[in-house]
Amino acid sequence: DKDELIVPKDFPELKNDTFLRAARGEEVEHVPVWCMRQAGRYLPEFREARAGKDFFETCRSPEACCELTLQPLRRFPFDASIIFSDILVVPQAMGMDVQMCPGKGPIFPEPLKEPDDLQRLRPKVDVAAELGYVFKAITLTRHKLEGKVPLLGFTGAPWTLMSYMIEGGGSTTHSKAKRWLYRHPEASHKLLRQLTDVIVEYLLGQVKAGAQALQVFESHTGCLGPAEFKEFSLPYLRDIARRVKDKLKESGLDNVPMIVFAKDGHYGLEELSQSHYEVVGLDWTIDPRSARERTGGKVCLQGNMDPCALYATKDRISEIVKKMVEGFGTKGYIANLGHGVYPDMDPECVGAFVDAVHTHSRQLINR
Ligand code: CP3
C-alpha cells in the first residue's frame, strides 16, 4: 500500500550489512564498495528517466528519487545505496533560488555579494517543511530497497555550500567566496553557523526518515589552505558530527556511521580522523598506505580510486584495485572512487571495479 511506504517504520530487515560492519571496523567477508554518483548520467536508464525533466523537480519527487537510487543496484552488486538528491537543496531551503542548467551546472541567479545579503536568508528554516520531500524519498526508498543494502543520506558541508551561495555556481578559484573569509570573517562565521544549524536538523531528519549512514561532502576543501581549513571548515564539520550524534542519543535513536569527505584536504587528514566521524573519505591524491599511517588505524577509510581509472581496460582496473585494497588493508575499509563517476564512463567498467573489489578483498581475507 502506497501510504504505508511513506511511514518510517517496519522497514524490511537488512540482508547485507557489510558496509555498516566495515564502518564500525568489524570483520567482513569482503570489502564493501559503492561509488559516489553511482546514480548518474553514465547509465542509459538514468538519462532516460531524467530526460526532459528539470533537475530540482526530479529531486522533489520521492518516486523519481527512489527509482534513480535503485537503478545502479539492479546492475551492480554495490554494498550501499545513496539517496538521489543534491547538496544544493539546503541553500534552496534557506531561501535562495538555484537552477540546474544542463551542460553548465548549478546557477544561483542572485548569489550573496556582501554581508548585508545575509538578510535575504530565512532567519529560521522549517527543515521539515522545506526539505520534507527528501525525507519522503528516503522513507520510500528504504522500503523499496527491501533490505538489500543500507541507504545513505548526505549533505553538503557548510564551507562548500557557502562557496556556492557566494560564487553563484561552479568556480575554479572560489575567489569571491574566499574574499569573504579574508575580508568578512565575522559574516563568514555567521553564515557558516546558520548553515550548520540547518544541516544538523536536516541530517537528523534523514536518519528519522530511514537513512542508515550519512556522508558530509566538503567538496571545496582543496581551495583552502590549512589555516583557513582549521578556521572555516573543520570546526563546523566537527560540530555537525557531535550535534547529530548527541541528538540521536537524546531522541533514543541508534547511532549511524558518519562519513566526512573533504575532497583535496590531504593536509587535514589527521584532524579529520579525530572529528567524531567513523569514516574518512579520501580523494585519489592520497596514497592508501600513508593515509593508514597518518590516521593510526583509528578510523575506517573510504576511497579512493581515481575515477579516470575507469577509462582503463577491465584487466588494468582489476590491477589498480588490487593495489588499492592491499594498500588500505581489508579491515576498516570501504572501497569507493576518489570522486564521482563521470557521465561518459562505460557502465561495464563500473561493474568491473565493483567485481575487482569483491574478488581481490575475498582473496586477501581468506589468505
Ligand atoms: O552520489 C550519488 O549518486 C547521489 C546523488 C548526488 C547528486 N549530487 C546527484 C546529481 C550527490 C551525493 C550529489 C552531491 C553534490 N552535488 C556535490 C558533492 C559531491 C561532489 O561532486 O563534489 C556537489 C558539488 C553537487 C552540486 C552539483 N550538482 C553539481 C556540481 C552538479 C553537476 C552539474 C553537471 O551538469 O555536471 C550537480 C548535478 C547533479 N547532481 C547530477 C546528479 C546525478 C547530474 C545532473 C543531472 O542528473 O541532470
Coordinates of all heavy atoms in Angstrom, one line a residue, residues 274-326:
Q274 N 40.0 12.6 13.6 CA 39.7 12.8 15.1 C 38.5 13.8 15.2 O 38.6 14.7 16.0 CB 40.9 13.3 15.8 CG 42.0 12.3 15.8 CD 43.3 12.9 16.2 OE1 43.4 13.9 17.0 NE2 44.4 12.4 15.7
S275 N 37.6 13.7 14.3 CA 36.5 14.7 14.3 C 35.1 14.1 14.5 O 34.1 14.7 14.0 CB 36.5 15.4 12.9 OG 37.8 16.1 12.7
H276 N 35.1 13.0 15.2 CA 33.8 12.3 15.6 C 33.1 11.6 14.4 O 32.0 11.2 14.5 CB 32.8 13.3 16.2 CG 33.4 14.2 17.2 ND1 34.0 13.8 18.4 CD2 33.6 15.6 17.1 CE1 34.4 14.9 19.0 NE2 34.2 15.9 18.3
Y277 N 33.8 11.5 13.2 CA 33.3 10.7 12.1 C 33.9 9.3 12.2 O 35.0 9.2 12.5 CB 33.6 11.4 10.8 CG 32.9 12.7 10.5 CD1 33.3 13.9 11.1 CD2 31.7 12.7 9.8 CE1 32.6 15.0 10.9 CE2 31.0 13.9 9.6 CZ 31.5 15.0 10.1 OH 30.8 16.2 10.0
E278 N 33.0 8.3 11.9 CA 33.5 6.9 11.9 C 34.4 6.6 10.7 O 35.2 5.8 10.7 CB 32.3 5.9 11.9 CG 31.6 5.8 13.2 CD 30.6 6.9 13.5 OE1 30.5 7.8 12.7 OE2 30.0 6.8 14.6
V279 N 34.1 7.4 9.6 CA 34.7 7.1 8.3 C 35.2 8.4 7.7 O 34.6 9.4 7.7 CB 33.7 6.5 7.3 CG1 34.4 6.0 6.0 CG2 32.9 5.3 7.9
V280 N 36.5 8.3 7.2 CA 37.0 9.4 6.4 C 37.2 9.1 5.0 O 37.8 8.1 4.6 CB 38.4 9.9 7.0 CG1 39.0 11.0 6.2 CG2 38.3 10.3 8.5
G281 N 36.5 9.8 4.1 CA 36.5 9.6 2.7 C 37.7 10.3 2.1 O 38.1 11.4 2.5
L282 N 38.4 9.6 1.1 CA 39.6 10.2 0.5 C 39.5 10.3 -1.0 O 38.9 9.4 -1.6 CB 40.8 9.2 0.9 CG 41.0 8.9 2.3 CD1 42.0 7.8 2.4 CD2 41.5 10.1 3.1
D283 N 40.1 11.4 -1.5 CA 40.2 11.5 -2.9 C 41.5 10.8 -3.4 O 42.3 10.3 -2.5 CB 40.3 13.0 -3.3 CG 41.5 13.7 -2.8 OD1 42.6 13.5 -3.3 OD2 41.3 14.3 -1.7
W284 N 41.7 10.7 -4.7 CA 42.8 9.9 -5.2 C 44.2 10.4 -5.0 O 45.2 9.8 -5.4 CB 42.6 9.5 -6.6 CG 42.6 10.7 -7.6 CD1 43.7 11.2 -8.3 CD2 41.5 11.6 -7.9 NE1 43.3 12.3 -9.0 CE2 42.0 12.6 -8.7 CE3 40.2 11.7 -7.5 CZ2 41.2 13.6 -9.2 CZ3 39.4 12.7 -8.0 CH2 39.9 13.6 -8.8
T285 N 44.3 11.7 -4.5 CA 45.7 12.2 -4.4 C 46.4 11.7 -3.1 O 47.5 12.1 -2.9 CB 45.6 13.8 -4.3 OG1 44.9 14.2 -3.2 CG2 45.0 14.3 -5.6
I286 N 45.7 10.9 -2.3 CA 46.4 10.4 -1.1 C 46.7 8.9 -1.3 O 45.9 8.1 -1.8 CB 45.4 10.5 0.1 CG1 44.9 11.9 0.3 CG2 46.1 10.0 1.4 CD1 44.0 12.2 1.5
D287 N 48.0 8.5 -1.0 CA 48.4 7.2 -1.0 C 47.8 6.4 0.1 O 47.8 6.8 1.2 CB 49.9 7.1 -0.9 CG 50.4 5.7 -0.8 OD1 50.3 5.0 -1.8 OD2 50.9 5.3 0.3
P288 N 47.1 5.2 -0.3 CA 46.4 4.4 0.8 C 47.3 4.1 2.0 O 46.8 4.2 3.1 CB 46.1 3.1 0.0 CG 46.0 3.5 -1.4 CD 47.0 4.6 -1.6
R289 N 48.5 3.6 1.8 CA 49.4 3.3 3.0 C 49.7 4.5 3.8 O 49.6 4.4 5.1 CB 50.7 2.6 2.5 CG 50.5 1.2 2.2 CD 51.8 0.4 2.1 NE 51.5 -1.0 2.0 CZ 51.1 -1.6 0.8 NH1 51.1 -0.9 -0.3 NH2 50.8 -2.9 0.7
S290 N 50.0 5.6 3.2 CA 50.3 6.8 4.1 C 49.0 7.3 4.8 O 49.1 7.8 5.9 CB 51.0 7.9 3.2 OG 50.0 8.7 2.6
A291 N 47.9 7.1 4.1 CA 46.6 7.5 4.8 C 46.4 6.7 6.0 O 46.0 7.2 7.1 CB 45.4 7.4 3.8
R292 N 46.7 5.4 5.9 CA 46.6 4.5 7.1 C 47.5 4.9 8.2 O 47.1 5.0 9.4 CB 46.9 3.1 6.7 CG 45.8 2.2 6.2 CD 44.8 1.9 7.3 NE 43.7 1.1 6.7 CZ 42.4 1.3 6.9 NH1 42.0 2.2 7.8 NH2 41.5 0.5 6.3
E293 N 48.8 5.2 7.8 CA 49.8 5.6 8.8 C 49.3 6.9 9.5 O 49.4 7.0 10.8 CB 51.1 5.8 8.2 CG 51.9 4.4 8.0 CD 53.0 4.6 7.0 OE1 53.6 5.7 6.9 OE2 53.4 3.6 6.4
R294 N 48.9 7.8 8.7 CA 48.6 9.1 9.3 C 47.3 9.1 10.2 O 47.1 10.0 11.0 CB 48.4 10.2 8.2 CG 49.8 10.5 7.5 CD 49.6 11.3 6.3 NE 48.9 12.6 6.6 CZ 48.5 13.4 5.7 NH1 48.6 13.1 4.5 NH2 47.9 14.5 6.1
T295 N 46.4 8.1 9.9 CA 45.2 8.1 10.7 C 45.3 7.0 11.8 O 44.4 6.8 12.6 CB 44.0 7.8 9.9 OG1 44.2 6.6 9.1 CG2 43.7 9.0 8.9
G296 N 46.5 6.3 11.9 CA 46.7 5.4 13.0 C 45.7 4.3 13.2 O 45.6 3.8 14.4
G297 N 45.1 3.9 12.2 CA 44.1 2.8 12.3 C 42.9 3.1 13.2 O 42.2 2.2 13.6
K298 N 42.7 4.4 13.5 CA 41.6 4.8 14.4 C 40.3 4.9 13.7 O 39.2 4.7 14.3 CB 41.9 6.1 15.1 CG 43.0 6.0 16.2 CD 43.0 7.2 17.1 CE 43.8 8.3 16.5 NZ 45.3 8.1 16.4
V299 N 40.3 5.2 12.4 CA 39.0 5.3 11.7 C 39.0 4.4 10.5 O 40.0 3.9 10.1 CB 38.8 6.8 11.1 CG1 38.4 7.8 12.2 CG2 40.0 7.2 10.3
C300 N 37.7 4.2 10.0 CA 37.6 3.5 8.8 C 37.9 4.5 7.6 O 37.6 5.7 7.8 CB 36.1 3.0 8.7 SG 35.7 2.3 7.1
L301 N 38.6 4.0 6.6 CA 38.9 4.9 5.5 C 38.0 4.4 4.3 O 37.7 3.3 4.1 CB 40.4 4.8 5.1 CG 41.3 5.3 6.2 CD1 42.8 5.1 5.8 CD2 41.0 6.8 6.5
Q302 N 37.6 5.4 3.5 CA 36.8 5.2 2.3 C 37.4 5.8 1.0 O 37.9 7.0 1.1 CB 35.4 5.7 2.5 CG 34.5 5.6 1.2 CD 33.1 6.2 1.5 OE1 32.3 5.5 2.0 NE2 32.8 7.4 1.0
G303 N 37.5 5.1 -0.1 CA 38.0 5.7 -1.3 C 38.8 4.6 -2.1 O 38.7 3.4 -1.8
N304 N 39.7 5.1 -2.9 CA 39.9 6.4 -3.4 C 40.5 6.3 -4.8 O 41.3 7.1 -5.2 CB 40.9 7.2 -2.5 CG 42.4 6.6 -2.6 OD1 42.6 5.5 -3.0 ND2 43.3 7.4 -2.1
M305 N 40.0 5.3 -5.6 CA 40.5 5.2 -6.9 C 40.2 6.4 -7.8 O 39.0 6.9 -7.7 CB 39.9 3.9 -7.6 CG 40.7 3.6 -8.9 SD 40.1 2.1 -9.7 CE 38.7 2.6 -10.6
D306 N 41.2 6.9 -8.5 CA 40.9 8.0 -9.5 C 39.8 7.6 -10.4 O 39.8 6.5 -11.1 CB 42.2 8.2 -10.3 CG 42.1 9.3 -11.3 OD1 41.0 9.8 -11.5 OD2 43.2 9.7 -11.8
P307 N 38.7 8.3 -10.4 CA 37.6 8.0 -11.3 C 38.0 7.7 -12.8 O 37.5 6.9 -13.5 CB 36.6 9.2 -11.3 CG 37.0 10.0 -10.1 CD 38.4 9.6 -9.7
C308 N 39.1 8.5 -13.2 CA 39.6 8.3 -14.6 C 40.2 6.9 -14.8 O 40.3 6.5 -16.0 CB 40.5 9.4 -14.9 SG 39.7 11.0 -15.1
A309 N 40.5 6.2 -13.8 CA 41.0 4.8 -14.0 C 39.9 4.0 -14.6 O 40.2 2.9 -15.1 CB 41.5 4.2 -12.6
L310 N 38.6 4.4 -14.5 CA 37.5 3.7 -15.1 C 37.6 3.7 -16.6 O 36.9 3.1 -17.3 CB 36.2 4.2 -14.6 CG 35.9 3.9 -13.1 CD1 34.5 4.4 -12.7 CD2 35.9 2.4 -12.8
Y311 N 38.5 4.6 -17.2 CA 38.7 4.6 -18.6 C 39.6 3.5 -19.1 O 39.8 3.3 -20.2 CB 39.3 6.0 -19.1 CG 38.3 7.2 -18.9 CD1 38.7 8.3 -18.2 CD2 37.1 7.2 -19.4 CE1 37.9 9.4 -18.1 CE2 36.2 8.3 -19.3 CZ 36.6 9.4 -18.6 OH 35.8 10.5 -18.5
A312 N 40.3 2.9 -18.1 CA 41.2 1.8 -18.4 C 40.5 0.5 -18.8 O 39.3 0.4 -18.7 CB 42.1 1.5 -17.2
T313 N 41.3 -0.5 -19.3 CA 40.7 -1.8 -19.6 C 40.3 -2.5 -18.3 O 40.8 -2.1 -17.2 CB 41.7 -2.7 -20.4 OG1 42.8 -2.9 -19.4 CG2 42.1 -2.1 -21.7
K314 N 39.4 -3.5 -18.4 CA 39.0 -4.2 -17.2 C 40.1 -4.8 -16.5 O 40.1 -4.9 -15.2 CB 37.9 -5.2 -17.5 CG 36.6 -4.5 -18.0 CD 35.5 -5.6 -18.3 CE 34.3 -4.9 -18.9 NZ 33.4 -5.9 -19.5
D315 N 41.1 -5.4 -17.2 CA 42.2 -6.0 -16.6 C 43.1 -5.0 -15.8 O 43.5 -5.3 -14.7 CB 43.1 -6.7 -17.6 CG 42.5 -8.0 -18.2 OD1 41.5 -8.4 -17.5 OD2 43.0 -8.5 -19.2
R316 N 43.2 -3.8 -16.4 CA 44.0 -2.8 -15.7 C 43.3 -2.3 -14.5 O 43.9 -2.0 -13.5 CB 44.2 -1.6 -16.8 CG 45.1 -0.5 -16.2 CD 46.6 -0.8 -16.4 NE 47.4 0.2 -15.8 CZ 47.9 0.2 -14.5 NH1 47.8 -0.9 -13.8 NH2 48.5 1.2 -14.1
I317 N 41.9 -2.1 -14.6 CA 41.1 -1.7 -13.4 C 41.3 -2.7 -12.3 O 41.5 -2.3 -11.2 CB 39.6 -1.6 -13.8 CG1 39.4 -0.4 -14.8 CG2 38.7 -1.5 -12.6 CD1 38.0 -0.3 -15.4
S318 N 41.3 -4.0 -12.7 CA 41.5 -5.0 -11.6 C 42.9 -4.9 -10.9 O 43.0 -5.0 -9.7 CB 41.3 -6.4 -12.3 OG 41.6 -7.4 -11.4
E319 N 43.9 -4.6 -11.7 CA 45.3 -4.5 -11.1 C 45.3 -3.3 -10.2 O 45.9 -3.3 -9.1 CB 46.3 -4.2 -12.2 CG 46.7 -5.5 -13.0 CD 47.5 -5.0 -14.3 OE1 48.2 -4.0 -14.2 OE2 47.5 -5.8 -15.3
I320 N 44.7 -2.2 -10.6 CA 44.7 -0.9 -9.8 C 44.0 -1.2 -8.5 O 44.4 -0.8 -7.5 CB 44.1 0.2 -10.7 CG1 45.0 0.6 -11.9 CG2 43.9 1.5 -9.8 CD1 44.4 1.5 -12.9
V321 N 42.8 -1.9 -8.6 CA 42.0 -2.1 -7.4 C 42.8 -3.0 -6.5 O 42.8 -2.8 -5.3 CB 40.7 -2.8 -7.8 CG1 40.0 -3.4 -6.6 CG2 39.8 -1.8 -8.5
K322 N 43.5 -4.0 -7.0 CA 44.2 -4.9 -6.1 C 45.3 -4.2 -5.3 O 45.3 -4.3 -4.1 CB 44.9 -6.0 -7.0 CG 45.7 -7.1 -6.2 CD 46.0 -8.2 -7.1 CE 46.7 -9.4 -6.4 NZ 48.1 -9.2 -6.3
K323 N 46.0 -3.3 -6.0 CA 47.0 -2.5 -5.2 C 46.3 -1.6 -4.2 O 46.8 -1.4 -3.1 CB 47.7 -1.6 -6.2 CG 48.8 -2.3 -7.0 CD 50.0 -1.3 -7.4 CE 50.9 -2.0 -8.3 NZ 50.5 -2.0 -9.7
M324 N 45.2 -1.0 -4.6 CA 44.5 -0.1 -3.6 C 44.0 -0.9 -2.4 O 44.2 -0.4 -1.3 CB 43.2 0.5 -4.4 CG 42.3 1.3 -3.5 SD 41.0 2.1 -4.4 CE 39.8 0.8 -4.6
V325 N 43.4 -2.1 -2.6 CA 42.9 -2.9 -1.5 C 44.1 -3.3 -0.6 O 44.0 -3.3 0.6 CB 42.1 -4.0 -1.9 CG1 41.6 -4.9 -0.8 CG2 40.8 -3.6 -2.7
E326 N 45.2 -3.7 -1.2 CA 46.4 -4.1 -0.5 C 46.9 -3.0 0.4 O 47.3 -3.1 1.5 CB 47.5 -4.7 -1.4 CG 47.2 -6.0 -1.9 CD 48.1 -6.5 -3.1 OE1 48.9 -5.6 -3.6 OE2 48.1 -7.6 -3.5

